Amino acid sequence: MIYGIHRTKRRVLDSLLLLLMAGATTAIVAALVWIVVYIVTRGIGTISLRFIFSSERGVGIFPMVVTTLYIVFTSLAIALPIGIATAVYLNEYSDKPRVVQCIRTAIETLAGIPSILYGLFGLLVFARFAGLGQSILAGGLTLSIMILPVIIRTTEESLQTVPRAFREGSLALGTTQWQTIYRVVLPSALPGILTATILGIGRVVGEAAPVLLTVGIARNLPRSIFDSGRTLTIHLYYLTKEALNPEDFQIAFATASVLVVFVLVVNIATKVLTAFFKKHMEH
């Protein structure tokens, strides 16, 4: 009898917890859908090929799109190799707990620094001291430091999920540790690395203060990473700040829609690639 009562209580508690988690999940999905629909429905009427691919002032956002893409690729080109190499060292090579602890403390500290401080650092070190000026390269270097903690931690967690039997089996066949990491461990951890890439892209695209200080606000079409420019996020900020009539807000919503669609496309493409690599590895 008592066992039956306890069993009933556990079932009720499990049902309540399941209902709570389902409600939280529904709220998150509903918030995302509401934000996307709200922005896109108010900006879709202004979006056109001319709006996206024109450089005409007050009409097109093509220079901002190009600057954003430059910033994303520059930041990832710098941060991904360093972040993945650091995660591999921490998880596969280092046998000194104190050294690992010091490195992880440094990574956690980097993750907690406000973005405006990164912007000041990039402005003083890369833009002025290194002589890069306000440029895409200065912004990419600054943002690469910002996204390093995300890439390192996510990649390290992904490496930890690879079964030890994979490593032991590879080493038993006579391969070196590096060959095991390169041919067995990293391919198995690739979905996690792609997740780190998504998070890094999202952080780069969404930042404003560091980009404003290191890249600038010029509306020109950048020809290289040594030019200044204006990202979509900074452009959206100035559009809303200077908006005087409904037409201005319409352009701002259209720019926000492009930004949201860009992030969604990156996420969906990465998920597709992750599923493809998982299927490929299973076969």
Side-chain angles (χ1 to χ4, degrees):
M1 182 69 178
I2 296 177
Y3 174 76
I5 294 175
H6 285 303
R7 187 177 180 182
T8 302
K9 287 182 177 180
R10 285 198 300 269
R11 286 182 175 178
V12 172
L13 181 60
D14 288 343
S15 300
L16 290 175
L17 291 175
L18 180 61
L19 183 63
L20 179 63
M21 289 184 288
T25 304
T26 303
I28 292 172
V29 174
L32 173 63
V33 172
W34 182 76
I35 291 172
V36 172
V37 171
Y38 180 84
I39 293 174
V40 173
T41 53
R42 281 161 176 75
I44 193 67
T46 307
I47 297 176
S48 63
L49 291 178
R50 184 187 177 197
F51 177 75
I52 297 175
F53 295 104
S54 173
S55 300
E56 185 180 348
R57 186 179 180 86
V59 177
I61 60 170
F62 186 66
M64 282 63 80
V65 172
V66 173
T67 302
T68 302
L69 293 175
Y70 264 131
I71 284 289
V72 168
F73 288 125
T74 303
S75 303
L76 290 179
I78 298 170
L80 272 179
I82 297 174
I84 294 173
T86 303
V88 169
Y89 171 76
L90 291 174
N91 196 71
E92 304 294 330
Y93 282 101
S94 180
D95 55 356
K96 298 178 181 179
R98 291 186 179 180
V99 174
V100 172
Q101 186 61 37
C102 289
I103 296 174
R104 285 180 176 155
T105 301
I107 294 169
E108 292 170 1
T109 304
L110 280 177
I113 295 176
S115 60
I116 186 64
L117 296 184
Y118 281 107
L120 291 173
F121 173 82
L123 177 63
L124 294 175
V125 175
F126 299 127
R128 295 184 179 177
F129 181 75
L132 296 175
Q134 285 191 317
S135 62
I136 292 171
L137 180 56
L141 289 167
T142 304
L143 292 172
S144 65
I145 299 174
M146 288 186 61
I147 64 177
L148 269 176
V150 175
I151 293 175
I152 293 171
R153 288 188 297 186
T154 307
T155 303
E156 189 179 2
E157 291 174 1
S158 181
L159 292 172
Q160 291 172 355
T161 62
V162 179
R164 181 171 294 275
F166 286 13
R167 299 173 176 85
E168 294 174 348
S170 177
L171 293 171
L173 295 174
T175 62
T176 64
Q177 186 175 7
W178 168 244
Q179 288 174 328
T180 298
I181 293 171
Y182 179 71
R183 297 183 179 276
V184 177
V185 178
L186 286 178
S188 300
L190 190 58
I193 296 173
L194 290 175
T195 300
T197 304
I198 293 177
L199 296 174
I201 292 174
R203 183 79 186 270
V204 169
V205 171
E207 284 298 336
V211 177
L212 182 64
L213 293 174
T214 58
V215 181
I217 60 173
R219 297 173 61 102
N220 59 286
L221 179 64
R223 302 296 178 182
S224 69
I225 59 175
F226 298 100
D227 293 338
S228 180
R230 177 188 290 193
T231 63
L232 285 170
T233 305
I234 299 299
H235 184 59
L236 179 59
Y237 166 73
Y238 275 94
L239 284 174
T240 54
K241 181 182 177 181
E242 300 169 358
L244 299 175
N245 50 62
E247 289 75 17
D248 294 334
F249 280 105
Q250 190 80 7
I251 296 174
F253 273 114
T255 304
S257 300
V258 173
L259 195 58
V260 169
V261 170
F262 174 78
V263 174
L264 288 175
V265 168
V266 169
N267 278 271
I268 293 172
T270 309
K271 293 294 183 184
V272 171
L273 286 174
T274 301
F276 171 78
F277 283 118
K278 280 185 177 180
K279 185 178 180 181
H280 181 72
M281 286 186 294
E282 289 175 357
H283 292 285

